[in-house]
């Protein structure tokens, strides 16, 4: 166990660290819910083109995320290895988000595609520079098995508050302005708020006094990669969260299309986005408490089952029932919110498992690799969803046939349902428990001392 600090100081650190995810989710949720729609319905690009742009950006992330982790692990500063990137990277990140949601008038489709691609690549690079060190910092804020569940709960609560903020902002602006103006204003508001919050996060976050946090010269990259492939729990978690990301991203990117085609009202789709952003404010404390009681592995599996039930409800809600659709969205987000707590609680455990087994310490690199798999999953799901959306015959502002509506329903429900259930099956083989983690932490602490 790590040395306990004063309770008020520890809470302040947990809250200070968690606040950073409020800012990051202004960007993450804003991009996940609105960018695909902005590119198709404001810039006028086809779904397949947008899906390809998203895939290209994700392949870039597959390289840049581990590279950023490698760099952060080797950074020395008065603020530690990770906090400088949060402090100095927040303004470029916010500026890139604003640029990405800035409507442009470009006659050439080729030039428009190049513009959208460049804006997304710039944003994803800036996001990587801030988010990878931020996530790695969480492993140092506390080394305690259950403490991480509490920290992840606080972090995710702030994260979903950010999602609620950006979704309410978008809905309010869309009710008053055309889409081009509304999304542009949303980007500016989110960018300004995020800068203030991330600066506060950088100064309020503190690493724990655990001796494992002491700086060691990182191992060479080849040795780290070999150790990763021997880290079975890490590989299971990466596989599981990649499938969850496919599910979550598919739901987020096609939700507005689903409500437009089956309910006939895009406003109800915006309300559903607010439900998806806001419901976790109730479910995050529930999942935090339940995870402490039944364990991280069982909570993950239960989340998979609940999410699949919600998607099944949405599949049946194709009878144009708004109440059933809202119910399905609510059940789905109850299941999906489990991963928000559990993934960021369990990922540091797998990193320490690898450190214990191999002797190679590379926190930020492994965070970067896990993130790269998530980002590739986002790109793959966007690519598939975009091409399938075109295949259904969907066209902006055109009447939607029953065949097109059924195709959108299948994309929105069946693909994520299969991904969630497969993720649950993977977690059946996850080996780390509270008892085994306590033993390896004690051993690592003994080596450090």
């Amino acid at each position: 166990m790590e040395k306990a600090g004063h309770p008020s100081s520890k809470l302040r650190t947990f809250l200070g660290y968690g606040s950073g995810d409020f800012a990051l989710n202004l960007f993450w949720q804003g991009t996940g819910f609105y960018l695909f729609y902005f590119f198709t319905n404001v810039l006028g690009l086809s779904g397949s083109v947008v899906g390809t742009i998203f895939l290209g950006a994700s392949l870039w992330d597959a390289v840049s995320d581990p590279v950023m982790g490698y760099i952060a692990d080797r950074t020395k500063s008065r603020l530690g290895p990770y906090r400088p990137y949060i402090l100095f990277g927040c303004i470029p990140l916010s500026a890139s988000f604003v640029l990405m949601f800035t409507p442009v008038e470009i006659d050439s489709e080729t030039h428009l595609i190049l513009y959208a691609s460049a804006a997304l690549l710039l944003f994803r690079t800036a996001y990587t520079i801030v988010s990878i060190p931020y996530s790695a910092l969480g492993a140092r804020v506390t080394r305690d098995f259950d403490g991480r569940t509490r920290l992840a709960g606080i972090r995710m609560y702030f994260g979903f508050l950010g999602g609620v903020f950006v979704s309410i902002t978008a809905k309010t602006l869309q009710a008053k302005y055309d889409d081009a103006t509304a999304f542009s204003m949303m980007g500016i508001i989110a960018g300004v708020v995020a800068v203030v919050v991330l600066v506060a996060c950088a100064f309020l976050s503190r690493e724990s006094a655990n001796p494992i946090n002491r700086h060691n010269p990182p191992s060479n990259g080849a040795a780290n990669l070999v150790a990763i492939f021997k880290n079975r729990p890490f590989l299971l978690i990466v596989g599981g969260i990649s499938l969850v990301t496919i599910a979550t991203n598919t739901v987020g990117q096609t939700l507005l299309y689903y409500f437009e085609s089956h309910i006939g009202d895009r406003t109800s789709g915006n309300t559903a986005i607010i439900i998806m952003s806001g419901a976790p404010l109730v479910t995050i404390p529930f999942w935090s408490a339940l995870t402490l009681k039944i364990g991280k592995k069982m909570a993950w599996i239960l989340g998979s089952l609940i999410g699949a039930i919600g998607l099944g409800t949405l599949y049946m809600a194709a009878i144009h029932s708004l109440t059933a659709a809202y119910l399905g969205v609510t059940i789905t987000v109850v299941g999906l919110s489990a991963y928000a707590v559990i993934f960021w609680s369990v990922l540091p455990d797998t990193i320490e498992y690898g450190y214990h087994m191999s002797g190679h310490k590379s926190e930020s690199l492994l965070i970067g690799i896990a993130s790269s798999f998530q980002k590739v999953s986002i790109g793959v799901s966007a690519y598939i969803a975009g091409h399938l959306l075109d295949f259904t015959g969907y066209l902006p502002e055109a009447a939607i046939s029953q065949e097109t509506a059924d195709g959108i329903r299948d994309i929105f429900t069946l693909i994520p349902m299969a991904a969630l259930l497969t993720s649950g099956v993977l977690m059946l083989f996850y080996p780390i428990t509270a008892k085994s983690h306590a033993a390896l932490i004690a051993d690592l602490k003994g080596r450090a001392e």
Side-chain angles (χ1 to χ4, degrees), residues 280-336:
L281 300 180
V282 176
T283 60
I284 289 294
F286 163 77
W287 281 113
S288 297
L290 186 64
T291 301
L292 291 171
K293 187 174 182 64
I294 68 175
K296 302 176 185 181
K297 173 178 175 177
M298 292 307 300
W300 185 297
I301 294 170
L302 181 60
S304 298
L305 294 174
I306 293 174
I309 291 171
L311 290 165
T313 303
L314 283 163
Y315 184 88
M316 299 303 296
I319 55 174
H320 307 284
S321 168
L322 180 58
T323 301
Y326 283 157
L327 176 63
V329 167
T330 302
I331 297 173
T332 301
V333 77
V334 169
L336 293 178

Side-chain angles (χ1 to χ4, degrees), residues 212-232:
I212 301 173
N213 285 343
R214 293 172 187 163
H215 182 78
N216 315 32
S219 309
N220 66 70
N224 283 328
L225 290 176
V226 171
I228 289 168
F229 285 105
K230 293 181 179 179
N231 189 338
R232 179 167 160 260

Side-chain angles (χ1 to χ4, degrees), residues 211-265:
I212 301 173
N213 285 343
R214 293 172 187 163
H215 182 78
N216 315 32
S219 309
N220 66 70
N224 283 328
L225 290 176
V226 171
I228 289 168
F229 285 105
K230 293 181 179 179
N231 189 338
R232 179 167 160 260
F234 176 77
L235 296 177
L236 285 170
I237 286 298
V238 167
I241 200 61
S242 296
L243 289 164
V244 169
T245 302
I246 288 173
T248 304
N249 200 57
T250 301
V251 169
Q253 288 177 338
T254 56
L255 186 146
L256 286 177
Y257 300 102
Y258 174 85
F259 275 84
E260 181 183 8
S261 61
H262 283 285
I263 308 301
D265 177 19

Side-chain angles (χ1 to χ4, degrees), residues 7-330:
S8 63
S9 175
K10 187 174 183 179
L11 178 60
R12 183 169 59 251
T13 296
F14 275 33
L15 292 173
Y17 175 75
S19 69
D21 220 36
F22 177 92
L24 290 177
N25 268 275
L26 295 176
F27 303 134
W28 185 262
Q29 303 267 23
T31 301
F33 282 125
Y34 299 113
L35 187 62
F36 199 101
Y37 192 87
F38 177 80
F39 278 178
T40 58
N41 288 46
V42 175
L43 296 190
L45 297 171
S46 70
S48 56
V49 167
V50 176
T52 303
I53 291 173
F54 272 57
L55 178 61
S58 296
L59 293 176
W60 167 246
D61 285 333
V63 177
S64 63
D65 283 9
V67 168
M68 186 63 227
Y70 186 87
I71 293 170
D73 278 332
R74 287 155 176 77
T75 298
K76 293 182 181 180
S77 79
R78 183 175 58 85
L79 293 175
Y82 304 136
R83 287 190 290 157
Y85 295 102
I86 302 171
L87 180 61
F88 298 111
C90 61
I91 291 179
L93 172 57
S94 296
S96 67
F97 185 75
V98 172
L99 175 66
M100 191 168 59
F101 277 101
T102 299
V104 293
E105 294 184 6
I106 300 176
D107 294 333
S108 167
E109 183 182 22
T110 300
H111 291 164
L112 185 60
I113 292 171
L114 290 174
Y115 174 84
S117 301
L120 182 55
L121 283 174
L122 179 63
F123 166 74
R124 295 286 272 264
T125 303
Y127 188 86
T128 290
I129 290 171
V130 175
S131 65
I132 298 302
Y134 171 78
S135 297
L137 177 61
R140 295 191 171 205
V141 170
T142 179
R143 296 280 179 182
D144 181 68
F145 188 81
D146 287 340
R148 281 185 173 151
T149 298
R150 296 184 180 95
L151 179 64
I154 291 172
R155 173 185 172 180
M156 290 300 108
Y157 201 85
F158 273 108
F160 281 103
L161 277 174
V164 170
F165 180 90
V166 76
S167 59
I168 290 178
T169 300
K171 181 178 180 179
T172 302
L173 293 171
Q174 282 183 295
K176 295 181 178 181
Y177 305 100
D178 62 90
D179 281 346
T181 303
F183 284 123
S184 179
M185 293 177 66
M186 177 200 75
I188 294 170
I189 292 170
V192 171
V193 172
V195 168
V196 175
V197 174
L198 286 172
V199 169
C201 171
F203 284 110
L204 292 173
S205 299
R206 292 289 184 272
E207 298 181 8
S208 73
N210 195 305
I212 301 173
N213 285 343
R214 293 172 187 163
H215 182 78
N216 315 32
S219 309
N220 66 70
N224 283 328
L225 290 176
V226 171
I228 289 168
F229 285 105
K230 293 181 179 179
N231 189 338
R232 179 167 160 260
F234 176 77
L235 296 177
L236 285 170
I237 286 298
V238 167
I241 200 61
S242 296
L243 289 164
V244 169
T245 302
I246 288 173
T248 304
N249 200 57
T250 301
V251 169
Q253 288 177 338
T254 56
L255 186 146
L256 286 177
Y257 300 102
Y258 174 85
F259 275 84
E260 181 183 8
S261 61
H262 283 285
I263 308 301
D265 177 19
R266 192 185 65 177
T267 301
S268 63
N270 280 317
T271 302
I273 289 176
I274 293 175
I275 292 173
M276 290 197 72
S277 303
L281 300 180
V282 176
T283 60
I284 289 294
F286 163 77
W287 281 113
S288 297
L290 186 64
T291 301
L292 291 171
K293 187 174 182 64
I294 68 175
K296 302 176 185 181
K297 173 178 175 177
M298 292 307 300
W300 185 297
I301 294 170
L302 181 60
S304 298
L305 294 174
I306 293 174
I309 291 171
L311 290 165
T313 303
L314 283 163
Y315 184 88
M316 299 303 296
I319 55 174
H320 307 284
S321 168
L322 180 58
T323 301
Y326 283 157
L327 176 63
V329 167
T330 302

